Every structure is written in structure tokens, then in C-alpha cells.
Amino acid sequence: MQTQPAAILIVDDREENRDLLMRRLRPQGYYLATAENGRQALELLREHPFDLVLLDIMMPEMNGYQVLEQMKADPVLCHLPVIVISAVNEIESVAQCIELGAEDYLSKPFNRVLLHARIGNALEKKRLHDQEQAYREELEAAHQTKNRAILAIAHELRNFLTPIGGYLDLLRSGLAGAISEEQAQLVQIVWANAQRVKSLLVDLNDVPRIATGQLQLQPEVVSVADIVSEVVDALEARVNSKQQTLLVNVPQDLPAVWADRTRLIQVLMNLVSNAHKYTPPKGEIRVSAERVEDAPPVVRLTIEDNGLGIAPEDQGNIFAEFFRSADEQVRREPGVGLGLSITRRLVELQGGRISFESVFRQGTKFHFTVPVVEG
Amino acid sequence: MAKAQPRILVVTDSRDTRTLLEFALSEAGLQVFSAPSKKSALLQIDVVIPHVIVLDSCAPGIVEEDTLHRIREHSTVPVIVLNGVNNPTRRASLEADVAAYLPQPLDVQELYARIQHLLPQ
């Protein structure tokens, strides 16, 4: 911590008052400066960093009230503590100064103990405020560094995945020459892992953007039926591979929604793919949509499965970043716990809400809403 | 008369990505030229006269706007940008010069489909 002496500005139009305070305070080792009137005080305050102002109220040219008002209106000076100096019979004026934002007051003639105690308190409060401010700035800088690092790493890794995925595709397709069935299986394992890395990197890319509010959505008129069928098509092979049933119920007359198409697909993809992952083979997944006459009206999508369910102790945490259940059956599926936190943010950023009901080992039902296109 | 093979110029500093695209796109019947830098790309444009350029925007020394601008001084060839800018506003200002943006990791099938779409019939 800095051990620099505190800087105090004494503002009083009467020289004998300024001298008296100087004499009393100098032995404490403070850095002391004086101003004869409000205008001079404000000039000094704007040029030098002070820790405390001792302010007389009745001064010619610019009085204590005006100084206080100007200080409180200044983004830099508004945090600087002010102790008002008053005569004993000036209690009304003191109250007015406190209302204007003064920290404390001292009455003349000065009581030595009170003088030092109140100055000490005000300075300590200022020191804590400055310290907190410094921590806040440090924290903010650390956050930004972290976010930049995440983005830079995700970016680099995505670039590396182009040749990895591309060459694997060549091997898989046989374009690079025939490979044995056993080799094909090995290639398939590498490929599946590369896919996981890829989807993790896509998620990682969203984390800092969502955290800093930099994620820019491009909402448009979107048909829910289109989105649902796109997601179902993309996941069909995976669902079939576990012999699961995927039932879709989207009414024909459903109104269009106002959403970022890509992000809406991402949300639905996440929820249906979770349903698929956390439902045993031969299980059932239902995707449905309905109009709800809320204010404003929304389309509510429901993704229901008869899978593992969410353990009661996990239910309060599933939307937290990097949360992973301790449930062994859940842990069999790879993941880092980003999907649902991103999903929730994406739903909320588009003006919707997400919720769920789950019975452990019986199944889970997620609902989310999207605003209907007005008019 | 046999139709001339469509010519594609791939601009990226990643040697592995260049080799991958050279291999995969030639297998698909395209003639692939590649450039590791903006300088090399600009030199080749006039000689190769590509039908489509695939530009990796994030390679060092390949600043997207600048390279696009220089390409446009040479020709009106369609450009597919890999990675691309994430900022939609900046992106919109480039829209006129870019035929498509594809994210990395690149789906080679999708790239091929986009190229096909851009080739003169």
C-alpha cells in the first residue's frame, strides 16, 4: 500500500483560520495546501490529487455550498470527502452541506481530539474507497485479459482444426486411398473427438462475447417450423444411432418469431442434443411449440425426454458456467458445462425465458420462449 | 470440346490448409493454385486469372480489407473469406466485395459447394 502522506486542502477566506489549521495539522505529516476562496479551491482541486477538503461555508466570491455543488457534479471530485468547518451556531448550514454531499463537519473553535478523529476517519474512508477502486480496475483488466486470451486461443485452435478435420474427411471418404475397416474405425474415433473439440471451441468463443455484452444479434422474422426441422435433420443420425424416437409437434398456424436465426438454431440444437445425450437408447424425445398469450405474446418451445433427469441437488446449478453434475451417468457424456449457460443467455438476449421441470431418472422438460413478430 | 478446369486460388499462411485444399479440391476436379501471402496472391492473380479466390483473412500479412482492396484493383473475381471479421458492422461494409464467409474449422464440402455455386455456368 502507498505510504505517501495524505493531501489536505484547507479552504477558508480568513488567514488566521487557515494558519490555525495548518499549525494543528502539520505535525501529523500531511501534505497541506490552502485556498482563500471557492474559486481558487476548485482550481487547485482540478490540478492536484487531494484526499480531503476542509471547507469553510461563508466565503466571499464563491461560498462553501457552491464549491460542494460543483464538486459533486464533477466525476473526479465527487468522491473526494469534504469536512465542513462551521461556527457552533451554524448547525442549519451544516445540515445543508451534509445534504449537498459533505462527509462530516467540525465546529470552531476546534477541539483537538475531534479534529484529528474526524480527519482520520474521512481519510481512512477515502483510502478504502481508492483501494476498492484500484481492485475494481485490476479485476476489470484481468477479465479483459482473460477474455482476449480465450478468444485468441479458440481462434488459433479452430484454424488448426481445418487441416485436422479436412484430412480426416479425406481418409474417411477414401479419397486418400483405401483403408482397412479397422483403420476406418480408428479414423472415426479421431474424427468424433475432433468434432467435440470443434463444438467446445464454438462454445468457448461465445463465453467472453456474452460476458462483455459484445455478442451482436441479428434478429429477423423466423419460422419456428423451419428451425425445428433444420435441427431435427441435423441430429437425426445421432438420434437414430441410439435408436431413440424423436417426435415433433409444431402446429401449422404458429406465428413467426423475431429472433437471430443462427442463435435460435444454436439454442434448440443445444437442448435437443442434451436430450439425446442424456436419454438412454430407445428413449423418446419430443419437440413441440405453441403460441402463448403472454404480454407480449410468445412462442413457447418444449423439449421433453424420458432420460436420466436432473438430480434435485443439481437443479439450482445447471445454468451456471462450467457446472457439471456429479451424477455418474451424466459424466459419461463429455462436456465442460458451457452449453446450458450459453443457451440461457441466448434465450434471454432475444427477449425470451427458459425454464425446466425434471424428475430424477424419469426425464426432463425444457421450455423456452421467443417473442412473436408484432402485427 | 473439353471444358477448361475451373481455377481456384487459395490464399492462406497455413501450409497444411493449403495442402489440404490443393488435394481435396483437385480431387473434386478443380485446378488449385495456392499463395502463402498477400504478395504472392497478388502476383498470381494476373497470371492464373482464377475463377474464385479463397482468402484466409486472419493470416499475418493478409489483412482482409487491404487484401480485398488490392484484389479488387486487379479483378472482379468472387472471393470467399475464411474466418472473416466477427463484427457485423465492419462485415456489412465488406459485404459487397465478399461472395461468402466461411468459419474455421472449414468444412471442405461446404467450401466446394460454394465454389461450384460461384463458377460461371
Side-chain angles (χ1 to χ4, degrees):
Chain A
M1 228 27 246
Q2 58 171 25
T3 47
Q4 239 178 310
I8 301 178
L9 178 64
I10 298 164
V11 190
D12 202 311
D13 58 324
R14 296 173 66 166
E15 195 178 1
E16 67 266 30
N17 287 346
R18 296 197 300 271
D19 287 347
L20 173 68
L21 280 168
M22 292 280 272
R23 279 201 306 280
R24 292 275 178 89
L25 297 177
R26 190 169 286 127
Q28 307 298 312
Y30 298 129
Y31 167 77
L32 299 168
T34 56
E36 290 173 26
N37 57 53
R39 203 175 307 281
Q40 206 180 55
L42 284 171
E43 272 170 30
L44 281 168
L45 287 170
R46 290 193 169 119
E47 278 168 32
H48 305 281
F50 283 96
D51 297 300
L52 176 64
V53 181
L54 301 181
L55 182 66
D56 185 26
I57 304 173
M58 293 310 164
M59 291 181 294
E61 222 180 312
M62 185 190 265
N63 63 29
Y65 305 124
Q66 289 166 306
V67 174
L68 264 174
E69 272 170 355
Q70 295 223 11
M71 284 180 70
K72 292 302 154 186
D74 184 311
V76 179
L77 298 181
C78 66
H79 297 295
L80 189 57
V82 175
I83 295 181
V84 173
I85 295 165
S86 69
V88 192
N89 58 0
E90 280 182 341
I91 201 73
E92 285 300 317
S93 333
V94 167
Q96 197 180 338
C97 287
I98 300 284
E99 275 187 339
L100 284 171
E103 176 72 34
D104 204 345
Y105 75 100
L106 279 165
S107 5
K108 288 179 278 194
F110 299 117
N111 172 295
R112 195 179 289 268
V113 175
L114 282 183
L115 176 71
H116 293 305
R118 288 185 168 160
I119 287 178
N121 284 345
L123 287 174
E124 178 61 6
K125 200 166 161 189
K126 167 75 164 49
R127 193 185 64 80
L128 290 174
H129 177 271
D130 288 353
Q131 200 176 39
E132 192 201 333
Q133 185 67 25
Y135 287 150
R136 215 187 279 273
E137 279 164 19
E138 247 174 68
L139 195 63
E140 179 56 30
H143 269 301
Q144 284 183 8
T145 308
K146 177 205 73 182
N147 285 341
R148 274 200 304 273
I150 293 180
L151 285 179
I153 293 167
H155 177 92
E156 275 307 299
L157 293 177
R158 279 203 312 280
N159 288 355
F160 287 130
L161 272 182
T162 291
I164 293 176
Y167 282 115
L168 284 170
D169 281 337
L170 291 179
L171 288 171
R172 272 155 43 100
S173 64
L175 273 175
I179 53 173
S180 72
E181 203 168 305
E182 213 167 54
Q183 288 166 333
Q185 279 173 15
L186 302 182
V187 167
Q188 185 59 31
I189 293 170
V190 180
W191 184 83
N193 281 283
Q195 293 303 306
R196 279 180 200 146
V197 175
K198 180 176 158 181
S199 64
L200 170 60
L201 289 177
V202 170
D203 283 352
L204 265 187
N205 210 33
D206 282 343
V207 172
R209 285 188 214 291
I210 292 178
T212 56
Q214 279 175 345
L215 192 80
Q216 280 168 303
L217 298 174
Q218 289 168 297
E220 55 181 323
V221 177
V222 177
S223 145
V224 173
D226 283 359
I227 300 284
V228 172
S229 75
E230 197 161 318
V231 169
V232 168
D233 286 352
L235 293 173
E236 204 172 15
R238 281 163 59 188
V239 168
N240 289 342
S241 72
K242 271 176 100 174
Q243 294 173 287
Q244 292 163 331
T245 313
L246 181 52
L247 299 166
V248 176
N249 179 17
V250 179
Q252 289 290 318
D253 58 348
L254 203 63
V257 294
W258 185 246
D260 181 311
R261 192 187 155 81
T262 315
R263 295 305 186 169
L264 192 56
I265 290 178
Q266 187 180 350
V267 166
L268 189 62
M269 186 79 90
N270 243 321
L271 293 173
V272 180
S273 124
N274 275 353
H276 152 76
K277 274 162 53 175
Y278 303 117
T279 298
K282 298 188 179 152
E284 199 175 90
I285 301 161
R286 289 167 184 267
V287 179
S288 58
E290 59 181 334
R291 184 191 169 107
V292 178
E293 290 309 329
D294 232 331
V298 294
V299 165
R300 185 166 77 154
L301 285 104
T302 301
I303 299 91
E304 185 180 2
D305 65 57
N306 59 358
L308 300 176
I310 302 164
E313 65 270 25
D314 290 344
Q315 295 199 0
N317 302 322
I318 60 162
F319 291 115
E321 241 173 46
F322 297 108
F323 172 76
R324 284 286 280 158
S325 170
D327 180 0
E328 264 178 44
Q329 296 202 42
V330 169
R331 289 245 165 201
R332 278 180 210 156
E333 290 294 333
V336 288
L338 282 175
L340 278 179
S341 74
I342 292 172
T343 299
R344 178 172 75 172
R345 299 302 292 271
L346 290 178
V347 168
E348 289 173 352
L349 278 173
Q350 317 213 41
R353 265 187 272 174
I354 187 166
S355 61
F356 67 95
E357 303 145 43
S358 183
V359 181
F360 194 47
R361 294 297 180 255
Q362 284 185 34
T364 304
K365 206 192 253 192
F366 272 94
H367 307 282
F368 72 94
T369 61
V370 201
V372 162
V373 175
E374 304 286 342
Chain B
M1 200 179 80
K3 234 170 122 185
Q5 259 185 321
R7 294 177 300 278
I8 313 300
L9 178 61
V10 174
V11 189
T12 171
D13 69 325
S14 159
R15 195 183 59 193
D16 291 341
T17 301
R18 284 200 305 276
T19 330
L20 169 73
L21 295 182
E22 280 164 18
F23 185 92
L25 297 178
S26 349
E27 280 293 326
L30 304 171
Q31 198 178 357
V32 184
F33 300 85
S34 60
S37 65
K38 175 176 85 175
K39 196 173 155 198
S40 157
L42 293 171
L43 281 173
Q44 288 191 61
I45 287 178
D46 293 330
V47 184
V48 171
I49 313 178
H51 295 95
V52 177
I53 291 179
V54 178
L55 173 69
D56 180 354
S57 66
C58 294
I62 309 185
V63 176
E64 185 177 343
E65 282 97 329
D66 179 42
T67 310
L68 273 173
H69 181 70
R70 296 292 303 277
I71 289 173
R72 285 288 165 258
E73 287 173 358
H74 287 248
S75 82
T76 54
V77 57
V79 176
I80 295 176
V81 171
L82 306 187
N83 271 322
V85 284
N86 278 306
N87 179 338
T89 330
R90 258 180 75 205
R91 201 159 156 153
S93 74
L94 295 170
E95 214 86 299
D97 281 329
V98 177
Y101 281 97
L102 292 178
Q104 296 246 53
L106 183 63
D107 179 339
V108 180
Q109 292 296 323
E110 194 185 346
L111 173 65
Y112 178 69
R114 296 287 183 132
I115 292 174
Q116 280 295 334
H117 183 72
L118 290 170
L119 288 175
Q121 294 307 305

